[in-house]
Amino acid sequence: MSTARRASFGALTATGVALALVITGCSAPASDPKPAEGAAGGDLVIGVTSDPDTLFPWKATQFQAVNVLQNLYGTLTEFDEELNVVPGLAESWDVSDDGLTVTFHLREGVTFADGSAFDSEDVKYSLDAIAAEATAAVASSSLASVTAVEATDATTVTLALSAPDAALPANLAVINMAMLSSDDTEEALNTTPNGTGPFILDDRKASQSITLAKNEDYWGDAALLDTVEFRVIPDESSIVSAMQSGNVQLAVFDDPLVAQTAEGANVEVATTPQLSYHALQLNATRGDLTDVNVRLAIQCAIDRQEVLDTAALGEGEVTGPITSPAYKSDPDAPPAPSATSTRPPTT
């Protein structure tokens, strides 16, 4: 049975974007029986629409690149399924009473894909390089509060901060903060990734596929799959055909219409919400739109749920201007320039 996650799209400050994820059972060699449900082993083929544009984690922003690199590299901290920050390459950390010193205690026995040992010098090198302007790392701002990184001993790294930074442990959990070997270069890693993750690069055919193999020396729980292949199929409809024929077991769809066509006897579609939004914004510097009352009248006249139903097949959720789940504003609140307005709520 294949499983798909359907894309949900918001419109006009609507949230709840989800991805269409299609999964089939893992395949075994032709001469072997298919692994039992939940058993370790087997191979997974994922249909993707493009090749990763980089294999260098500090500069990866493309969806496909991030998905591949998360399997190859490790970070000091990680997120669990509920997005709580948990230990990664650092098995624990301490924060001083004044919040200006954070000490990370590293796991022992961790190795990179090339067999070299991971230690505090690699952490210092990685954090210093990410923060350096010359590196052009996309997450450099996450280290804005860090004034110094010290490799105290082989398994201890101490960070000095300019001010307490409660977000630092979470910031260190993203793949753009991956820990690299101090012996590696961007040029080398774009050809041969060298991480501490649960998989290693097995094979790459440009614009065709990337195959990862289980890292037998991974420090954490061993991967359940033997290999994962990211197979490039530029057209989502063609990915659907490959899934229905059993050649692809998983895919992420952006188009809900495509996800609907995928659902069938051997494909199951599910929806996963994502933190993303689409907004229709007015240019308040031109013509009548400079008048706040005109803008409010337009806002009141638009049925955002109807737009969502029409443009995104009802996928997503209408929200107020603030879309974060923890702090999102009430979409039914009056769209008024002051708290004393008696204007009717928007729909």
Side-chain angles (χ1 to χ4, degrees), residues 67-347:
N67 274 349
V68 171
L69 294 169
Q70 284 176 333
N71 292 288
L72 298 174
Y73 287 93
T75 50
L76 288 177
T77 59
E78 297 178 355
F79 293 116
D80 64 13
E81 292 181 356
E82 298 180 352
L83 297 183
N84 298 307
V85 180
V86 296
L89 292 174
E91 60 183 1
S92 64
W93 54 93
D94 308 314
V95 181
S96 62
D97 291 340
D98 61 6
L100 299 180
T101 304
V102 182
T103 304
F104 290 92
H105 306 283
L106 308 180
R107 296 184 186 276
E108 298 186 38
V110 177
T111 59
F112 290 97
D114 65 0
S116 61
F118 164 78
D119 60 21
S120 61
E121 290 296 335
D122 299 307
V123 176
K124 175 175 171 54
Y125 159 74
S126 296
L127 295 180
D128 285 344
I130 291 171
E133 184 177 352
T135 305
V138 297
S140 60
S141 62
S142 296
L143 299 175
S145 64
V146 178
T147 59
V149 180
E150 178 186 357
T152 310
D153 58 45
T155 59
T156 309
V157 177
T158 304
L159 275 58
L161 309 184
S162 59
D165 188 353
L168 183 62
N171 288 339
L172 293 170
V174 300
I175 195 59
N176 299 127
M177 303 294 287
M179 294 295 102
L180 308 186
S181 169
S182 55
D183 296 326
D184 280 323
T185 65
E186 178 178 353
E187 181 181 10
L189 293 177
N190 258 318
T191 302
T192 308
N194 184 31
T196 59
F199 287 87
I200 60 175
L201 180 67
D202 182 56
D203 182 56
R204 184 179 192 184
K205 297 179 176 65
S207 300
Q208 296 184 44
S209 66
I210 290 181
T211 302
L212 312 183
K214 179 167 62 175
N215 182 358
E216 300 291 352
D217 298 319
Y218 180 54
W219 60 266
D221 294 335
L224 295 178
L225 294 166
D226 294 323
T227 68
V228 176
E229 177 190 343
F230 294 83
R231 185 175 299 172
V232 179
I233 305 174
D235 179 63
E236 287 191 347
S237 296
S238 297
I239 295 178
V240 171
S241 299
M243 288 168 34
Q244 292 172 337
S245 65
N247 293 320
V248 170
Q249 290 85 50
L250 183 149
V252 177
F253 293 143
D254 291 322
D255 189 340
L257 284 174
V258 172
Q260 289 179 4
T261 65
E263 194 164 18
N266 66 332
V267 178
E268 179 183 334
V269 179
T271 301
T272 299
Q274 301 293 311
L275 293 177
S276 181
Y277 70 94
H278 298 261
L280 175 60
Q281 296 176 311
L282 303 175
N283 186 342
T285 66
R286 294 179 177 273
D288 292 336
L289 294 179
T290 59
D291 186 340
V292 64
N293 292 308
V294 172
R295 298 197 300 273
L296 289 171
I298 293 174
Q299 183 173 348
C300 289
I302 295 176
D303 186 333
R304 290 179 289 170
Q305 185 61 54
E306 183 177 353
V307 174
L308 189 65
D309 292 341
T310 303
L313 303 181
E315 301 288 350
E317 176 186 354
V318 173
T319 75
I322 302 175
T323 60
S324 170
Y327 307 102
K328 67 180 180 181
S329 49
D330 183 0
D332 293 325
S338 69
T340 59
S341 173
T342 58
R343 289 185 176 86
T346 185
T347 55

